[in-house]
Amino acid sequence: MLNIVLHEPEIPANTGNIGRTCCATGTRLHLIEPLGFVLTDKTVKRAGMDYWDKLEVFRYDDWDDFKAKNPDAKVYMATTKAKKTHTQVNYEPDCYIMFGKESAGIPEEILVDNEENCVRIPMGHDIRSLNLSNSVAVILYEALRQNDFLGLETEGNLHRLNWKE
């Protein structure tokens, strides 16, 4: 099972959207404090719709608490400062993919200690970053693709109608 880690997220709607994406993909969500909102905030619930109760969520006091409780975790870190793209690594089925807060990203001191696991989403020169929930979806679905979508439904079923009537 894949894991998404949000380091000090600030915008409740982003976290709600990410929670919904995690539910849709069978992914665990890890939240590192401090949060810029209360998890019971109606905007988190609204963005996560009625899926929030199906979400496996873990909370941590800080980065050190996360590391202590997940000592063997392979953590990939999404940052615009990475040298390699998110498609240039092989995501293990139980890896963690971490994203920083909307206003500042993952702290520099954490990135420096983990530079070999830093990845970026390619984008234009004049754009600072993508929306956090969009970034999570882009990288998470690449990790899922690499792992044959880990038991997710991969085929739909069209209902054929006679449109000529």
Side-chain angles (χ1 to χ4, degrees), residues 11-30:
I11 300 173
N14 280 338
T15 300
N17 288 333
I18 292 163
R20 185 174 181 171
T21 299
C22 287
C23 284
T25 58
T27 303
R28 295 182 194 105
L29 179 60
H30 302 260

Side-chain angles (χ1 to χ4, degrees), residues 13-82:
N14 280 338
T15 300
N17 288 333
I18 292 163
R20 185 174 181 171
T21 299
C22 287
C23 284
T25 58
T27 303
R28 295 182 194 105
L29 179 60
H30 302 260
L31 302 173
I32 299 175
E33 302 275 352
L35 306 181
F37 51 89
V38 178
L39 270 181
T40 56
D41 187 307
K42 64 182 176 184
T43 54
V44 174
K45 300 266 186 209
R46 185 179 306 126
M49 303 272 303
D50 54 346
Y51 302 106
W52 199 256
D53 63 326
K54 296 170 180 54
L55 180 61
E56 196 171 352
V57 181
F58 301 88
R59 291 176 71 174
Y60 306 91
D61 294 332
D62 53 29
W63 173 240
D64 290 332
D65 184 34
F66 173 84
K67 288 189 307 182
K69 291 178 179 167
N70 301 283
D72 300 323
K74 174 70 179 239
V75 182
Y76 294 96
M77 300 186 176
T79 174
T80 58
K81 300 169 185 170

Side-chain angles (χ1 to χ4, degrees), residues 36-146:
F37 51 89
V38 178
L39 270 181
T40 56
D41 187 307
K42 64 182 176 184
T43 54
V44 174
K45 300 266 186 209
R46 185 179 306 126
M49 303 272 303
D50 54 346
Y51 302 106
W52 199 256
D53 63 326
K54 296 170 180 54
L55 180 61
E56 196 171 352
V57 181
F58 301 88
R59 291 176 71 174
Y60 306 91
D61 294 332
D62 53 29
W63 173 240
D64 290 332
D65 184 34
F66 173 84
K67 288 189 307 182
K69 291 178 179 167
N70 301 283
D72 300 323
K74 174 70 179 239
V75 182
Y76 294 96
M77 300 186 176
T79 174
T80 58
K81 300 169 185 170
K83 292 185 181 352
K84 57 188 161 192
T85 69
H86 70 290
T87 60
Q88 292 176 306
V89 299
N90 294 316
Y91 300 96
E92 299 83 358
D94 59 348
C95 72
Y96 294 70
I97 307 168
M98 186 164 120
F99 298 81
K101 63 180 160 185
E102 291 89 342
S103 66
I106 299 170
E108 198 77 31
E109 59 270 16
I110 295 173
L111 294 175
V112 168
D113 289 342
N114 297 281
E115 186 174 0
E116 69 281 355
N117 293 330
C118 289
V119 298
R120 67 175 286 119
I121 300 170
M123 62 188 127
H125 298 288
D126 297 336
I127 303 299
R128 191 182 62 223
S129 65
L130 294 173
N131 172 275
L132 179 60
S133 61
N134 292 336
S135 295
V136 169
V138 167
I139 296 178
L140 176 58
Y141 269 89
E142 172 60 18
L144 288 164
R145 183 194 66 78
Q146 288 183 16

Side-chain angles (χ1 to χ4, degrees), residues 143-160:
L144 288 164
R145 183 194 66 78
Q146 288 183 16
N147 287 280
D148 296 322
F149 296 103
L150 296 169
L152 300 177
E153 291 183 23
T154 58
E155 292 185 18
N157 190 14
L158 287 174
H159 299 285
R160 298 191 185 273

